[in-house]
Amino acid sequence: MTIHTTLLNSMPELVAIRRDLHEHPELGLEEVRTSDVIARHLESYGYKVTRGLAKTGLVATLTNGTGRRSLGIRADIDALPIHEETGLAYASKTPGKMHACGHDGHTAMLLGAAKAIAERRNFDGTVHLIFQPAEENFGGAKIMVEEGLFEKFPCDAVFALHNEPNLPFGQFALREGPIMAAVDEARITVNGVGGHGAEPQETLDPIVCGASIVMALQTIVSRNIHPLDPTVVTVGSFHAGSASNIIPSRAEIVVGIRSFDPAVRDELERRIRLIAERQAESYGMSAAVNYQRFYDATVNHKAETDLVRDLATRFAGADKVVDLERPFMGSEDFAYMLKARPGTYFFLGGSTGGNDRSLHHPGYNFNDDLLPVGAAFWTELAEHYLRAA
């Protein structure tokens, strides 16, 4: 694995940036300080920085030579609403907010690459570095695309990575086609008639009806969807009632849904609505379903996936590059950039070999040793894609 001297010398700076961002996490569309820090560094490296896309997002542009090709590399910058439990000296200073997914690391890696690309000038064309807000909640990628990201900053291809603490350190994991699932949510409200728990015959109990709905929902994946179509239907929340002697008038059920195929996605919505409404009807009640479609499936393009695979093999060695047998059921709003432009999304292993916590865990911490690896690969990718004559 080749790490440029420039990047090795930048390690103290990258670590300092990463830990500063970790100390000051900001949630989606609130990343004002984070954007200020990013912009300050990028401008010092000589980039033209455009701010304000998706409120707190920014794009850094650098052109060299006369080439007409251009590429985009994205890093997500937002944190999560999680109370940190790492005990680190640089732990979050904002209670209830934490960089529990490594976006602080993604940002620092791309800043490291930005500095190396600018200093080396070993490319012919235009580099657009996209620092995207609100990946975790509000679909910042979709907002940026809708606000004209690729009209203002044309990209022949776009790329993004995500650290994965459960993969061996420095391992590249990629996949052509679907790599992350579409995610939807159904909020089901069962409307009954409340009353005294001692006289259930005078009520219409939404808890009993809700329990029946929960059990019936389990049949969708097992009986309505083809066994080879990856699908998840999870009842993550069921709220009703306040005491043992009170039958409430309503129950609320929240369901998480993940899929890949658009036709399967449609069938899931149809079946969830039908089950909720008909089960409630059979109990003499009604059910309202608020169904929201969130992120689409993240689908990688073949040519760009092949490029990353070949480049990663040269960069890290064949033993450090794996093709995933199946996609992840998590979701990612980079999907919207991939719908607008060719590109690929991949994982970079960051295991420390110790007691690594998973992403979104309150004890998770990004592995700083991964910073020069990610930064060096982004530099290699930019220089390879925009080869100088």
Side-chain angles (χ1 to χ4, degrees):
M1 188 177 294
T2 304
I3 308 295
H4 309 133
T5 302
T6 299
L7 287 169
L8 291 175
N9 293 338
S10 296
M11 263 299 286
E13 179 186 9
L14 296 184
V15 171
I17 292 171
R18 204 283 290 185
R19 295 185 178 185
D20 174 69
L21 295 174
H22 191 90
E23 276 191 284
H24 303 92
E26 296 175 301
L27 303 183
L29 305 182
E30 299 175 0
E31 309 95 329
V32 177
R33 181 189 183 278
T34 303
S35 293
D36 288 343
V37 171
I38 295 168
R40 185 170 66 250
H41 285 288
L42 289 167
E43 287 169 350
S44 74
Y45 304 155
Y47 285 79
K48 177 184 178 182
V49 178
T50 304
R51 304 184 64 175
L53 271 79
K55 192 175 180 180
T56 48
L58 54 89
V59 179
T61 300
L62 186 67
T63 298
N64 193 57
T66 58
R68 295 184 177 182
R69 281 167 64 83
S70 61
L71 89 160
I73 303 174
R74 185 215 73 169
D76 34 19
I77 67 175
D78 57 324
L80 283 158
I82 293 176
H83 184 80
E84 183 163 351
E85 298 177 2
T86 63
L88 295 166
Y90 52 89
S92 171
K93 291 183 177 179
T94 308
K97 298 180 183 180
M98 175 191 176
H99 271 293
C101 204
H103 296 182
D104 48 349
H106 300 168
T107 299
M109 283 193 289
L110 192 53
L111 285 173
K115 185 175 184 180
I117 291 167
E119 289 183 358
R120 289 163 59 88
R121 298 274 174 166
N122 187 25
F123 70 99
D124 186 21
T126 300
V127 176
H128 297 299
L129 305 181
I130 304 164
F131 292 85
Q132 179 216 305
E135 187 277 327
E136 297 288 359
N137 48 9
F138 299 114
K142 185 178 183 181
I143 299 172
M144 292 185 89
V145 170
E146 290 174 345
E147 291 184 357
L149 172 65
F150 294 122
E151 287 72 37
K152 297 173 183 175
F153 308 97
C155 295
D156 294 312
V158 288
F159 300 87
L161 67 75
H162 205 294
N163 82 97
E164 176 47 68
N166 293 317
L167 290 177
F169 181 85
Q171 183 181 83
F172 289 77
L174 44 89
R175 189 176 195 274
E176 177 190 338
I179 190 167
M180 299 286 275
V183 59
D184 303 320
E185 181 181 274
R187 291 183 172 267
I188 302 170
T189 302
V190 182
N191 298 299
V193 177
H196 200 295
E199 297 182 343
Q201 76 281 1
E202 300 296 329
T203 71
L204 293 174
D205 191 342
I207 293 179
V208 174
C209 177
S212 180
I213 291 173
V214 170
M215 295 307 296
L217 290 173
Q218 310 309 308
T219 67
I220 296 176
V221 174
S222 65
R223 290 296 177 269
N224 301 129
I225 305 300
H226 194 285
L228 296 181
D229 284 323
T231 313
V232 172
V233 175
T234 297
V235 177
S237 175
F238 189 148
H239 292 284
S242 58
S244 63
N245 63 344
I246 302 172
I247 292 175
S249 61
R250 57 188 283 167
E252 296 182 342
I253 304 165
V254 182
V255 187
I257 307 104
R258 295 177 186 269
S259 60
F260 292 93
D261 185 277
V264 170
R265 197 179 192 185
D266 291 340
E267 177 64 5
L268 289 167
E269 178 176 356
R270 188 184 76 83
R271 289 297 301 167
I272 288 170
R273 288 184 180 279
L274 189 63
I275 284 174
E277 292 166 0
R278 297 296 169 81
Q279 287 283 328
E281 184 181 342
S282 74
Y283 283 87
M285 296 176 235
S286 66
V289 181
N290 179 10
Y291 202 100
Q292 295 188 52
R293 296 199 176 194
F294 293 143
Y295 297 171
D296 291 346
T298 303
V299 182
N300 286 333
H301 297 249
K302 175 176 172 49
E304 288 70 27
T305 305
D306 290 345
L307 184 153
V308 167
R309 183 188 298 106
D310 293 344
L311 191 61
T313 300
R314 294 198 295 272
F315 175 78
D319 61 323
K320 287 287 191 178
V321 181
V322 298
D323 276 88
L324 297 168
E325 293 183 5
R326 59 181 67 88
F328 285 93
M329 297 308 296
S331 59
E332 164 62 64
D333 73 343
F334 189 62
Y336 297 100
M337 293 192 187
L338 290 178
K339 290 181 75 172
R341 291 293 184 275
T344 196
Y345 176 92
F346 60 95
F347 294 92
L348 182 59
S351 174
T352 63
N355 186 27
D356 292 306
R357 300 295 189 179
S358 63
L359 301 173
H360 291 216
H361 189 284
Y364 164 83
N365 185 37
F366 182 88
N367 185 354
D368 284 334
D369 289 339
L370 200 60
L371 291 173
V373 179
F377 185 75
W378 282 143
T379 304
E380 293 279 351
L381 176 67
E383 294 179 351
H384 176 83
Y385 193 86
L386 303 174
R387 293 197 257 324

